[in-house]
Amino acid sequence: MAYSTDHDVVLDFPILIGDIGGTNARFAIVVDSYAEPREFPVVQTADFATIEDAIQTAILDQTHLIPRSAVLAVAGPVNGDEIDLTNSNWVVRPREMMAHLGFSDIVVLNDFEAQALAVVALGEEHLEKIGGNVAETVGSRVVLGPGTGLGVAGLVHARRTWIPVPGEGGHMDLGPRTARDEQIFPHLERIEGRVSGEQVLCGRGLVNLYRAIAKADAKEAAFSSPAEITTAGLAQADEIAVETLNLFVTYLGRVAGDLGLVFMSRGGVFLTGGIAQKIVPALKNSLFRAAFEDKAPHNELMASMPVYVITHPLAALHGLAAYARTPARFGVETAGRRWRLR
Ligand SMILES: Nc1ncnc2c1ncn2[C@@H]1O[C@H](COP(=O)(O)OP(=O)(O)OP(=O)(O)O)[C@@H](O)[C@H]1O
């Protein structure tokens, strides 16, 4: 078995594609260059001990299709032959998967690299615009998504190729800015003494923020799940949940604005993942955009920068399908790794 880093990737159909998050794994099989991928029900990562079990039971045992290649996007850095998933117990071992599941090629990408590919592949009908001017067609872009964690990737256009720039930007520091922040931040749960973006801007982070607000005001915290908090916040049914949601979109605006500055994202800042889709009305209130644009001396630049919520429920899979069909259109060699049996 040879490890290959060649960039002239051509994959043999049918191709299994998979978006492996911390909570959910979504799979489909791309049959050829034209047909819609065959989709399968969402798999909960906690329901299977290993990714191989999940693929065998939930996909291969359910179809007569025999995938020859696999393109998998995983939540975590893609290094070496054993790829740990940051927020789950699964470990991706491509060599073992090839031996046990019969693939001759496996490409593994970072999950936000796949989200970045989706930004190129999705039509406008799958985007909800949150202010700003018209996006520049080949302007740089950035994708960030609060989900089980906080994923981030850039996307740049060079030499007629879209190149995702994966990273771990969700772990950058997040600091207090207003007097209210100063009251709440001391009560946030930290990671080794630090409040990172991901400590607040993800499912767990919503609960962290909600509890910190309750503590700061010496009130009782009635909710314990992210969905309860956003539901009560959107319905204006609970004072602490309303403030949690307001601060969540404010902090998301700050971080999204910082990333827009880093990548000079004249092509747009894209919010993806399960949570953004569920809180679109809150993202459309003025707080998100105000925090996004509050970047002196660059307020004017930021006011022109478009932001979109990706509303496609399976965006990363869509990006992976586009890559599986025409790998040459995308330069995923920055972080994608390929294993092949030939
Ligand atoms: N209605 C809701 N409001 C807020 N958070 C929610 C809601 N429903 C689910 N969540 C939270 O969203 C997170 C899952 O996000 P997502 O659906 O993007 O999963 P994922 O793909 O596994 O995430 P990741 O790729 O970051 O690991 C969980 O923390 C869950 O508690």
Side-chain angles (χ1 to χ4, degrees), residues 19-26 45 75 87 111-112 115 145-151 202-204 206 225-231 272-275 278-279:
D19 169 29
I20 324 290
T23 309
N24 303 304
R26 302 166 181 92
T45 51
N87 291 307
D111 60 342
F112 268 72
Q115 293 283 358
T148 307
L150 175 64
C202 64
R204 188 175 41 81
L206 267 164
S225 86
E228 285 173 326
I229 296 165
T230 55
T231 304
T272 189
I275 297 177
K278 287 171 186 128
I279 60 165

Side-chain angles (χ1 to χ4, degrees), residues 144-274:
L144 69 157
T148 307
L150 175 64
V152 175
L155 185 69
V156 295
H157 193 261
R159 298 186 184 149
R160 297 180 192 194
T161 305
W162 281 105
I163 303 172
V165 185
E168 291 295 327
H171 300 276
M172 294 189 301
D173 280 16
L174 180 70
R177 166 97 192 260
T178 64
R180 184 62 175 149
D181 292 349
E182 301 280 4
Q183 292 172 343
I184 292 165
F185 268 59
H187 301 286
L188 283 172
E189 203 173 280
R190 288 157 188 258
I191 175 157
E192 297 189 12
R194 201 166 69 87
V195 177
S196 65
E198 188 169 279
Q199 287 301 104
V200 176
L201 298 173
C202 64
R204 188 175 41 81
L206 267 164
V207 180
N208 190 10
L209 184 55
Y210 171 81
R211 288 188 179 145
I213 296 170
K215 270 193 202 149
D217 293 351
K219 288 187 177 150
E220 198 170 325
F223 302 131
S224 56
S225 86
E228 285 173 326
I229 296 165
T230 55
T231 304
L234 288 169
Q236 309 270 321
D238 174 275
E239 207 183 326
I240 309 174
V242 169
E243 188 177 10
T244 305
L245 195 54
N246 283 340
L247 287 178
F248 187 86
V249 298
T250 300
Y251 300 155
L252 186 59
R254 273 187 214 162
V255 171
D258 286 344
L259 290 162
L261 284 172
V262 169
F263 283 95
M264 191 55 74
S265 307
R266 292 198 169 102
V269 173
F270 294 78
L271 303 175
T272 189

Side-chain angles (χ1 to χ4, degrees), residues 1-305:
M1 197 179 301
Y3 170 72
S4 162
T5 54
D6 72 71
H7 298 159
D8 303 322
V9 180
V10 179
L11 299 165
D12 295 323
F13 294 110
I15 304 168
L16 175 76
I17 55 176
D19 169 29
I20 324 290
T23 309
N24 303 304
R26 302 166 181 92
F27 292 98
I29 295 180
V30 180
V31 183
D32 59 34
S33 298
Y34 306 102
E36 282 297 309
R38 159 86 206 276
E39 283 171 10
F40 294 84
V42 175
V43 171
Q44 307 287 303
T45 51
D47 288 348
F48 294 91
T50 68
I51 182 172
E52 283 186 32
D53 284 351
I55 292 176
Q56 186 65 53
T57 310
I59 313 301
L60 302 183
D61 290 351
Q62 309 301 323
T63 176
H64 66 277
L65 294 166
I66 302 174
R68 298 179 62 194
S69 318
V71 182
L72 304 174
V74 301
V78 181
N79 290 319
D81 279 340
E82 291 209 350
I83 302 149
D84 284 318
L85 271 70
T86 309
N87 291 307
S88 114
N89 294 330
W90 286 4
V91 179
V92 177
R93 296 186 181 91
R95 287 167 198 274
E96 283 182 22
M97 282 173 89
M98 290 166 106
H100 298 157
L101 302 176
F103 303 123
S104 50
D105 276 282
I106 297 185
V107 177
V108 184
L109 313 175
N110 170 270
D111 60 342
F112 268 72
E113 201 172 9
Q115 293 283 358
L117 299 176
V119 163
V120 181
L122 285 171
E124 276 186 18
E125 69 277 19
H126 298 300
L127 303 174
E128 179 89 36
K129 194 166 182 207
I130 315 275
N133 293 350
V134 176
E136 285 182 13
T137 317
V138 291
S140 297
R141 306 175 185 189
V142 68
V143 189
L144 69 157
T148 307
L150 175 64
V152 175
L155 185 69
V156 295
H157 193 261
R159 298 186 184 149
R160 297 180 192 194
T161 305
W162 281 105
I163 303 172
V165 185
E168 291 295 327
H171 300 276
M172 294 189 301
D173 280 16
L174 180 70
R177 166 97 192 260
T178 64
R180 184 62 175 149
D181 292 349
E182 301 280 4
Q183 292 172 343
I184 292 165
F185 268 59
H187 301 286
L188 283 172
E189 203 173 280
R190 288 157 188 258
I191 175 157
E192 297 189 12
R194 201 166 69 87
V195 177
S196 65
E198 188 169 279
Q199 287 301 104
V200 176
L201 298 173
C202 64
R204 188 175 41 81
L206 267 164
V207 180
N208 190 10
L209 184 55
Y210 171 81
R211 288 188 179 145
I213 296 170
K215 270 193 202 149
D217 293 351
K219 288 187 177 150
E220 198 170 325
F223 302 131
S224 56
S225 86
E228 285 173 326
I229 296 165
T230 55
T231 304
L234 288 169
Q236 309 270 321
D238 174 275
E239 207 183 326
I240 309 174
V242 169
E243 188 177 10
T244 305
L245 195 54
N246 283 340
L247 287 178
F248 187 86
V249 298
T250 300
Y251 300 155
L252 186 59
R254 273 187 214 162
V255 171
D258 286 344
L259 290 162
L261 284 172
V262 169
F263 283 95
M264 191 55 74
S265 307
R266 292 198 169 102
V269 173
F270 294 78
L271 303 175
T272 189
I275 297 177
Q277 289 175 5
K278 287 171 186 128
I279 60 165
V280 170
L283 290 166
K284 285 192 154 177
N285 79 28
S286 57
L287 295 169
F288 170 82
R289 202 64 224 187
F292 181 81
E293 294 175 15
D294 186 15
K295 301 288 178 193
H298 291 300
N299 309 56
E300 218 172 297
L301 164 74
M302 297 310 289
S304 71
M305 204 177 274

